[in-house]
Amino acid sequence: MEGGLVTQRAEGTPQGGPLSSLLSNILLDDLDKELEKRGHAFCRYADDCNLYVRSKRAGERVMTSITRFLHERLKLRVNPEKSAVDRPWNRKFLGYSMTPNRQPRLKAAPRSVERLKSKLRTLFRQGRGRNIPAFIRELAPVLRGWVNYFCLAEVKGIMEELDGWIRRKLRGLYWRQWKRSYTRAKNLMKRGLDEARAWQSATNGRGPWWNAGASHMNQAFPKKFFDSLGLVSLLDQLHRLHNLSRTAVYGTVRTVV
């Protein structure tokens, strides 16, 4: 788009296409060989590369020398806004980060989690007033795709927190749809609350987000209720993926033996 008008592209490759990654690997093969020659520990995927050194001073020295190599030998410019010398757990690589432990564990980077939440917030706004079981089915491919990508994550607390946040958003949809105090009390009683507690909860004057996290809505809509509707649990899906991975490895070992 130029000045609000669509113009034909005359140079470059389409963003997100396979050609860009292929050309990156061809061009940056020289970088891989240079890093191996220098004995650096590194990890590269297309044009995204992390180098691991023992100190900040060494990192700054390597950053300067590699930037010079890329500029002089490969005629490439390093983006200073996306590049930095920092601790591994303060950076992300392909959406992943790691814990600061002596034996680090992989986790979904905070920015990746926030990006998922931002996408889900948009979907939840669109889901107001809709049939919730049908809406949950539409969420399934988004949630399953996200957790499948982060199947290598070893920190499961993030998945558990996201699951709780998603269920709370869904409880908030129910609360919004009920609207009137009488409707809320009646539906809470249908979901197993006694009459006195149902009326007290329905007339508390609090907003949807507060009520969605309160004990009466948690009791009315527990995790097993959303499981019955087909809501993808990120934590459960991660456990299944890890179990499948262990089973595959065990099966391979048995076959080899």
Side-chain angles (χ1 to χ4, degrees):
M1 300 285 289
E2 294 182 2
L5 300 176
V6 177
T7 58
Q8 187 175 2
R9 183 187 293 107
E11 60 182 7
T13 61
Q15 186 173 358
L19 185 58
S20 178
S21 298
L22 176 60
L23 293 176
S24 294
N25 285 330
I26 293 172
L27 183 61
L28 294 175
D29 185 61
D30 287 343
L31 173 63
D32 295 343
K33 289 182 171 60
E34 180 68 18
L35 293 174
E36 290 170 355
K37 185 173 71 174
R38 297 186 187 189
H40 289 313
F42 70 97
C43 185
R44 183 182 68 79
Y45 184 89
D47 62 346
D48 198 354
C49 185
N50 278 11
L51 282 75
Y52 302 97
V53 295
R54 294 184 179 275
S55 67
K56 183 178 180 180
R57 185 177 178 182
E60 291 171 346
R61 185 177 64 252
V62 170
M63 171 75 84
T64 301
S65 64
I66 291 300
T67 300
R68 186 186 308 114
F69 171 83
L70 289 169
H71 178 70
E72 295 177 356
R73 288 279 300 277
L74 302 181
K75 310 304 179 185
L76 296 174
R77 183 175 61 86
V78 174
N79 189 335
E81 295 180 359
K82 295 183 178 180
S83 305
V85 177
D86 205 345
R87 296 289 193 180
W89 49 86
N90 293 330
R91 305 293 294 173
K92 71 179 183 71
F93 183 64
L94 303 179
Y96 280 87
S97 186
M98 62 181 68
T99 63
N101 308 85
R102 178 177 289 273
Q103 294 294 329
R105 296 185 297 160
L106 283 175
K107 66 175 185 177
R111 195 180 303 175
S112 301
V113 175
E114 187 52 43
R115 190 177 295 118
L116 173 66
K117 280 188 169 184
S118 178
K119 183 174 184 178
L120 291 176
R121 287 189 188 100
T122 301
L123 294 176
F124 276 113
R125 282 194 295 271
Q126 297 171 355
R128 294 177 184 177
R130 296 183 53 193
N131 178 274
I132 294 181
F135 176 67
I136 287 175
R137 288 194 293 272
E138 291 182 16
L139 288 179
V142 176
L143 299 176
R144 191 174 289 111
W146 193 86
V147 71
N148 285 352
Y149 180 82
F150 288 101
C151 62
L152 299 177
E154 300 167 285
V155 178
K156 300 174 183 177
I158 293 174
M159 305 294 178
E160 189 174 12
E161 290 175 10
L162 278 171
D163 278 340
W165 182 83
I166 291 167
R167 289 194 294 269
R168 185 171 180 177
K169 296 289 282 187
L170 289 168
R171 293 185 188 106
L173 290 183
Y174 277 108
W175 192 261
R176 286 178 182 277
Q177 289 184 2
W178 292 343
K179 294 182 180 179
R180 297 168 54 200
S181 297
Y182 173 78
T183 307
R184 289 168 176 169
K186 182 180 68 173
N187 283 310
L188 285 173
M189 285 187 279
K190 284 183 180 179
R191 296 296 309 163
L193 274 69
D194 62 76
E195 184 176 357
R197 189 180 178 207
W199 275 105
Q200 182 182 9
S201 301
T203 57
N204 59 36
R206 302 273 190 165
W209 180 249
W210 186 91
N211 279 283
S215 59
H216 54 272
M217 286 297 283
N218 276 271
Q219 181 180 336
F221 298 100
K223 178 182 180 297
K224 63 181 180 181
F225 169 80
F226 292 111
D227 289 342
S228 69
L229 295 182
L231 177 66
V232 174
S233 166
L234 301 177
L235 183 60
D236 292 349
Q237 182 73 1
L238 186 66
H239 281 147
R240 280 193 290 271
L241 292 170
H242 285 185
N243 289 336
L244 284 172
S245 177
R246 283 194 291 269
T247 302
V249 170
Y250 178 66
T252 302
V253 172
R254 287 187 60 188
T255 303
V256 172
V257 172

